[in-house]
Amino acid sequence: MSLDTAATKPHERLAEALSSEMDQVNALIRTRMASEHAPRIPEVTAHLVEAGGKRLRPMLTLATAKMCGYEGPYHVHLAATVEFIHTATLLHDDVVDESSQRRGRPTANLLWDNQSSVLVGDYLFARSFQLMVEAGSLRVLDILSNAAATIAEGEVLQLTAARNLATDEDVYLRVILGKTAALFSAATEVGGVIAGQPEAVSDALFQYGEALGVAFQIVDDYLDYAGTDATGKNVGDDFRERKLTLPVIKAVAVADAEERAFWVRTIEKGNQEEGDLDHALALIGRHGTLAATKAEAVAWADRAKAALDALPEHEIRTMLVDLADYVVLRIR
Amino acid sequence: MSLDTAATKPHERLAEALSSEMDQVNALIRTRMASEHAPRIPEVTAHLVEAGGKRLRPMLTLATAKMCGYEGPYHVHLAATVEFIHTATLLHDDVVDESSQRRGRPTANLLWDNQSSVLVGDYLFARSFQLMVEAGSLRVLDILSNAAATIAEGEVLQLTAARNLATDEDVYLRVILGKTAALFSAATEVGGVIAGQPEAVSDALFQYGEALGVAFQIVDDYLDYAGTDATGKNVGDDFRERKLTLPVIKAVAVADAEERAFWVRTIEKGNQEEGDLDHALALIGRHGTLAATKAEAVAWADRAKAALDALPEHEIRTMLVDLADYVVLRIR
């Protein structure tokens, strides 16, 4: 790290500090997404893996392993594992949400079909476990299989909570602890575990990853209503899909009778008309729930930073602290 | 085992010999399919798990572990693992095939929705890995994660091979080695591995499971054209879904120009009319491909039995030999 890069974004600084390891991760991903007999598999996977995501999750594993002084080869396997699990869940999510766009490109379920997305997701999930087994740590396998179960549980909960105005902030938090934070926390924790760190350290890394993941998802849900062009997201996707996220949950909680009738019609009954998104945005504005949502994201980012307080000074630690700030900076 | 049960079917004799272990497996399955936060998960799982399947795959794990003298508790975990992987693949298969019936009952994707089937399948898959991790054997984890990847690979290959008249017997075999035989062979192999058997034994158990699985699937595909009421299958499902299975692959291979045009229209183009299934059955009859398919199933069952030759005499071994015979006896 030279001083003249100090102004770049923290995930870019992490990518720079970990560039040789990330190259190994990318090479391993390319090798392991192959299939001798079923060329459809690498086609579908490449579409997603090479779409130019930030690789935030595998980078977190590399970062925590490096910060903990790990010198073996298996953080690369675990980082690839984390990215495969993430990719598998994206493939399945797009089927579940019937999405047609991700990261500004058509989704795999649109380019191929739902069948391919389901089965290639299953393949990547199995491949992720093969990679973990190679790393040879039962504790890591335990952490990541628990995370995989928690992710799926959060997704199912989201499915049953959607379109249901009874979904409150507790349910919302449980959903995002599962669908988003579980993989962040597993990614950061296994970096410490593979480096043989004591439980106090791996726990702190878990706490950091979990809080970062929650902040990240709250910001995502915030941007879905407040979005800017820079995010590449369409404002109102969650509204149209009748998902209950924090800005709406908070608005429903203080709705008067007329407002409640609006949410019942648009979210519960799905009877949406032109102008409804604008009215939803007006209600959200009236009750200041975007500001309140932002405050929660900031609080979780602060929790993420606090979890790192117990750990010794390290240039990577500084980047992880900055990353927590940056995640919520996106919305300022 | 008393003599007066000698006339019962081999899987029933296995179920009797392993009844206390199967009770433990069923109890473990019920415990682990629970979810504190997402009640949809046990609802969907129970629909499938309690539909009264024969539990053939977990029974194979219990059988081989017992035959190998295993006295620990973890064969129960591995048997439940195998059933969870099987259940997860059934949930995803029914989404992929757009099926509405399984084992004579409506499928989960029909009763709930595709979303639930995809996500609950993911949950069970993750749960299966948690169970394996508890068993604490990296070699078992290796075997079962390889099997999971091979299953998904076989399913993707089936997807791309469907509707394609170029699909030959080699491709067909590769598909069923993946989608069916991989879980059978993993189920039998891990029973020997958990019992600490030498590789010669676990290899023989793998060979048995693989050949049994191939025989089982060929018989399934045979019955789809030859079916009787006893099987609960509808004749012609594979034809309507334009899947290329052995009876048709063999008929296509010897088709004259007119017959080939028929297969192109019905399977490749999917332009099916009333009477087409009857015509397909007539072509299959004309070329004797059902008999040839049956002969292949018998040959694979013989291979399964031969794999057990190297193993010492045991009452369970006798039942496994009989099971291989019984699998193809279904079609006589």
Side-chain angles (χ1 to χ4, degrees):
Chain A
M1 279 284 304
S2 57
L3 270 177
D4 62 358
T5 61
T8 55
K9 294 168 183 170
H11 63 271
E12 290 167 359
R13 279 155 53 212
L14 275 168
E16 193 177 300
L18 301 161
S19 67
S20 78
E21 290 96 333
M22 272 311 294
D23 287 347
Q24 292 175 55
V25 172
N26 288 330
L28 190 59
I29 285 173
R30 273 192 299 275
T31 310
R32 299 306 175 88
M33 75 188 193
S35 157
E36 196 190 337
H37 302 308
R40 173 71 53 89
I41 290 174
E43 287 166 21
V44 172
T45 307
H47 173 70
L48 218 69
V49 162
E50 287 162 11
K54 284 188 294 294
R55 297 269 208 282
L56 193 54
R57 295 159 188 80
M59 210 149 64
L60 288 172
T61 300
L62 297 178
T64 54
K66 186 166 195 162
M67 184 169 80
C68 293
Y70 180 66
E71 295 191 339
Y74 291 120
H75 58 327
V76 172
H77 291 68
L78 298 183
T81 293
V82 163
E83 186 68 3
F84 270 179
I85 294 178
H86 178 55
T87 308
T89 61
L90 293 186
L91 281 168
H92 286 185
D93 280 358
D94 285 340
V95 171
V96 166
D97 291 344
E98 300 172 355
S99 310
S100 55
Q101 279 225 332
R102 176 174 293 278
R103 295 171 187 161
R105 308 203 313 162
T107 54
N109 46 308
L110 197 78
L111 284 182
W112 289 273
D113 44 46
N114 280 344
Q115 285 99 320
S116 296
S117 292
V118 170
L119 298 175
V120 173
D122 289 352
Y123 181 75
L124 294 181
F125 197 46
R127 285 298 232 178
S128 79
F129 274 90
Q130 289 179 311
L131 282 164
M132 268 184 256
V133 170
E134 285 173 48
S137 159
L138 281 166
R139 194 155 155 231
V140 162
L141 278 153
D142 188 40
I143 291 166
L144 282 162
S145 60
N146 289 342
T150 305
I151 293 167
E153 204 173 9
E155 302 263 14
V156 175
L157 187 60
Q158 173 172 264
L159 191 65
T160 52
R163 309 175 180 193
N164 180 357
L165 287 194
T167 298
D168 59 15
E169 297 195 26
D170 283 350
V171 174
Y172 171 78
L173 182 60
R174 230 180 284 140
V175 167
I176 70 175
L177 279 170
K179 74 169 191 166
T180 309
L183 192 55
F184 274 79
S185 58
T188 50
E189 185 180 9
V190 297
V193 168
I194 197 82
Q197 291 291 311
E199 207 157 298
V201 172
S202 59
D203 277 359
L205 293 172
F206 172 93
Q207 297 299 338
Y208 169 77
E210 182 173 82
L212 184 73
V214 171
F216 184 88
Q217 186 60 54
I218 293 177
V219 169
D220 228 49
D221 294 341
Y222 172 101
L223 291 173
D224 197 81
Y225 285 96
T228 67
D229 284 339
T231 65
K233 290 195 67 163
N234 300 317
V235 170
D237 278 348
D238 288 341
F239 181 74
R240 280 182 290 270
E241 289 171 21
R242 301 153 65 194
K243 278 186 191 163
L244 279 151
T245 59
L246 215 41
V248 170
I249 290 170
K250 285 177 180 292
V252 169
V254 295
D256 64 23
E258 189 187 327
E259 291 171 9
R260 196 175 165 80
F262 170 79
W263 295 118
V264 167
R265 173 172 65 78
T266 55
I267 301 286
E268 280 205 348
K269 302 201 171 142
N271 186 5
Q272 297 188 7
E273 299 161 9
E274 186 144 352
D276 279 346
L277 175 60
D278 285 338
H279 189 60
L281 288 167
L283 294 182
I284 284 169
R286 181 185 304 167
H287 296 297
T289 65
L290 274 177
T293 297
K294 179 167 128 183
E296 297 220 12
V298 170
W300 280 99
D302 288 343
R303 265 187 245 189
K305 291 189 285 178
L308 296 179
D309 280 348
L311 304 183
E313 188 49 61
H314 193 287
E315 64 162 353
I316 300 265
R317 200 192 75 155
T318 307
M319 294 181 206
L320 293 177
V321 167
D322 293 348
L323 180 64
D325 281 329
Y326 177 71
V327 159
V328 289
L329 204 68
R330 287 201 291 159
I331 69 182
R332 277 165 194 165
Chain B
M1 280 282 305
S2 59
L3 270 178
D4 63 356
T5 61
T8 55
K9 295 168 182 169
H11 63 270
E12 291 166 358
R13 280 156 52 212
L14 275 168
E16 194 177 299
L18 301 161
S19 67
S20 77
E21 290 95 335
M22 272 309 295
D23 287 347
Q24 292 175 55
V25 171
N26 289 329
L28 189 59
I29 286 173
R30 274 193 298 275
T31 310
R32 298 307 174 88
M33 74 190 193
S35 156
E36 196 190 337
H37 302 307
R40 172 71 53 87
I41 291 173
E43 287 166 21
V44 172
T45 308
H47 174 70
L48 217 71
V49 163
E50 287 162 12
K54 286 189 292 296
R55 298 270 208 281
L56 194 54
R57 293 159 189 81
M59 210 149 64
L60 288 171
T61 300
L62 297 178
T64 54
K66 187 167 194 161
M67 185 169 80
C68 293
Y70 180 65
E71 294 190 340
Y74 291 120
H75 58 329
V76 172
H77 291 68
L78 298 183
T81 293
V82 164
E83 186 67 4
F84 270 179
I85 293 177
H86 178 53
T87 307
T89 60
L90 293 186
L91 281 168
H92 287 185
D93 280 358
D94 285 340
V95 171
V96 167
D97 291 344
E98 300 172 357
S99 309
S100 54
Q101 279 225 332
R102 177 174 293 279
R103 295 170 187 162
R105 308 203 313 164
T107 54
N109 45 310
L110 197 78
L111 284 181
W112 289 273
D113 44 46
N114 280 344
Q115 285 100 321
S116 297
S117 292
V118 170
L119 297 175
V120 174
D122 289 351
Y123 180 75
L124 294 180
F125 197 47
R127 284 298 231 179
S128 78
F129 273 89
Q130 289 179 311
L131 281 164
M132 268 184 255
V133 171
E134 286 174 47
S137 160
L138 281 167
R139 191 153 158 233
V140 161
L141 278 153
D142 188 41
I143 291 166
L144 282 161
S145 59
N146 289 343
T150 306
I151 293 167
E153 204 173 8
E155 303 263 14
V156 175
L157 188 59
Q158 173 174 262
L159 192 65
T160 51
R163 310 175 178 193
N164 179 359
L165 286 193
T167 299
D168 59 15
E169 296 195 28
D170 283 349
V171 174
Y172 171 79
L173 182 60
R174 228 179 285 141
V175 167
I176 70 175
L177 279 170
K179 72 170 192 166
T180 310
L183 191 55
F184 274 79
S185 58
T188 50
E189 185 181 9
V190 297
V193 168
I194 196 85
Q197 291 291 311
E199 207 158 297
V201 173
S202 59
D203 277 358
L205 293 171
F206 172 93
Q207 298 298 338
Y208 169 78
E210 181 174 82
L212 184 73
V214 171
F216 185 88
Q217 186 60 53
I218 293 177
V219 169
D220 228 51
D221 294 341
Y222 173 100
L223 291 173
D224 197 82
Y225 286 95
T228 67
D229 285 339
T231 64
K233 289 194 67 162
N234 301 317
V235 170
D237 278 348
D238 288 343
F239 181 73
R240 279 182 290 270
E241 289 171 22
R242 302 154 64 194
K243 278 185 190 164
L244 279 151
T245 59
L246 214 41
V248 170
I249 289 170
K250 285 176 180 291
V252 170
V254 294
D256 63 23
E258 189 188 327
E259 291 170 10
R260 196 175 165 82
F262 170 80
W263 295 119
V264 167
R265 172 173 64 79
T266 55
I267 300 287
E268 279 205 348
K269 302 201 173 142
N271 185 4
Q272 298 189 6
E273 298 160 9
E274 188 144 351
D276 279 345
L277 176 59
D278 285 338
H279 189 61
L281 289 167
L283 293 182
I284 284 168
R286 182 184 303 166
H287 295 299
T289 66
L290 274 177
T293 297
K294 180 166 127 183
E296 297 220 12
V298 170
W300 280 99
D302 287 344
R303 265 186 244 189
K305 291 189 286 180
L308 296 179
D309 280 349
L311 305 183
E313 188 50 60
H314 193 287
E315 63 163 354
I316 300 265
R317 200 193 74 154
T318 307
M319 293 181 208
L320 293 177
V321 168
D322 293 349
L323 180 64
D325 281 328
Y326 178 71
V327 159
V328 289
L329 205 68
R330 288 200 290 158
I331 69 181
R332 278 167 193 163

